[in-house]
Each structure stands twice: as C-alpha cells, then as structure tokens.
Amino acid sequence: MSCSGGRWCTRADTLLGVEGIHVSSVTATAIGLLLRVETGETVSGCPDCGVVAVGHGRRQVRLHDIPCFGTPVRLLWAKRVWRCPDPDCPRTTFTEEHPLAGPRAKLTTRAVGWATDALQCFDTSVSALAHQLGVSWHTAWGAIKAEATRRIGITGRLAGVDALGVDEHV
C-alpha cells in the first residue's frame, strides 16, 4: 500500500466506501482483486448479558463484492471473535456483525443490491451477473431471489402506476 503510517489506507477505505470497514491490503490475482479488510477498534458487549466482551482473535470470512475496474472483487474480512467474560452467561463466544454482510453470507449486501438492481433495471441475466461477481449461478440467484422477494413485498411500490405495457417478453 502506498499510504504512509498506520495499519489502514484512508484512500483505499474511501475507494471501498463501506463505513466502518478498513482496507489493510489489495492484491491483484488471476481471478480479480483481493482486498483484505477489517473493522476498526471497537468495544462490544455480549448480546446475552451485556458485559463488555474480550477479544478472542479473528476469523477469516471470504465475501464477493461488486466488480471494480471490470474485474471481480473478493473481500477477505478478518472478522472479530469476542468472548464473554461472565462465567454465568450461557454465551461463550460470538462474532462481530456489520451491515457489510449477514451471517454465513457469500455476497456483500451491496453486491446483492447491485445485482438485483441490474436484473430489475437493465434486463441483465443472472448468469451474466454471476460471472461479473465471480460466483456460481446458484450463489448469485439465491441472494438475488431473497432481495427481489423482499422488494416485491414492499407495499406502495406500484404507487402512481396507471398502465402496464406488455411486449414479447414474459
């Protein structure tokens, strides 16, 4: 990284554009860009009892993000693991959460939004989106289907529509 001082590069953080996520390195690979990311220093409380948790290391989580410069982007998130120090608490360890991605996600939330927008607005195929994201069709469709279903359920999404056009596409 060409940024001076510190563990994170503020210019790379700005380019990534995810609040609270810092880029520690960027590597160009044969299959796209690999960004190693992590959250900033924070204090966390146990979700069960509220006692201030103790750091218990980090777990590497691989996520696919929106393409950048025409190439797939993978994030390797060093996700914090916390330990509850209260011996009476049923929760022993837990991992940090961030709007970047839900639990067990393979795509970032913004990659899912980007793909769903492309499918909705630009008549793009799921296979083309999967290729751009660097994932399989099933991985892309699983995430897109969940987001599309959520969007379809929004009441008032057709407010102001007084006519529908039909063409040769179903």
Side-chain angles (χ1 to χ4, degrees):
M1 303 287 294
S2 62
C3 294
S4 58
R7 208 163 76 201
W8 306 307
C9 178
T10 55
R11 290 180 285 183
D13 291 352
T14 301
L15 187 60
L16 181 63
V18 179
E19 186 68 32
I21 297 289
H22 302 288
V23 178
S24 56
S25 73
V26 178
T27 307
T29 67
I31 54 175
L33 294 176
L34 175 65
L35 280 68
R36 293 183 185 277
V37 299
E38 58 188 53
T39 54
E41 302 294 329
T42 60
V43 175
S44 183
C46 174
D48 287 350
C49 67
V51 171
V52 174
V54 177
H56 194 65
R58 292 181 183 261
R59 177 178 301 138
Q60 299 293 319
V61 176
R62 184 176 299 270
L63 297 165
H64 295 263
D65 198 25
I66 56 176
C68 182
F69 307 117
T71 186
V73 173
R74 287 174 182 77
L75 302 180
L76 193 57
W77 179 14
K79 195 173 189 179
R80 273 199 181 82
V81 178
W82 297 100
R83 181 180 57 81
C84 180
D86 185 354
D88 297 327
C89 182
R91 173 109 28 157
T92 54
T93 61
F94 58 97
T95 57
E96 70 181 329
E97 295 179 7
H98 191 277
L100 174 67
R104 296 177 190 84
K106 294 178 183 155
L107 300 175
T108 63
T109 51
R110 71 183 190 166
V112 173
W114 172 84
T116 307
D117 288 345
L119 194 62
Q120 176 183 352
C121 301
F122 304 114
D123 196 28
T124 305
S125 69
V126 175
S127 60
L129 294 169
H131 175 74
Q132 292 176 53
L133 291 168
V135 298
S136 72
W137 183 93
H138 293 284
T139 299
W141 177 241
I144 292 169
K145 182 179 179 184
E147 175 63 10
T149 302
R150 186 195 68 76
R151 289 183 187 187
I152 288 170
I154 296 173
T155 57
R157 70 183 177 87
L158 299 176
V161 175
D162 57 5
L164 292 176
V166 179
D167 61 12
E168 69 278 3
H169 294 92
V170 176

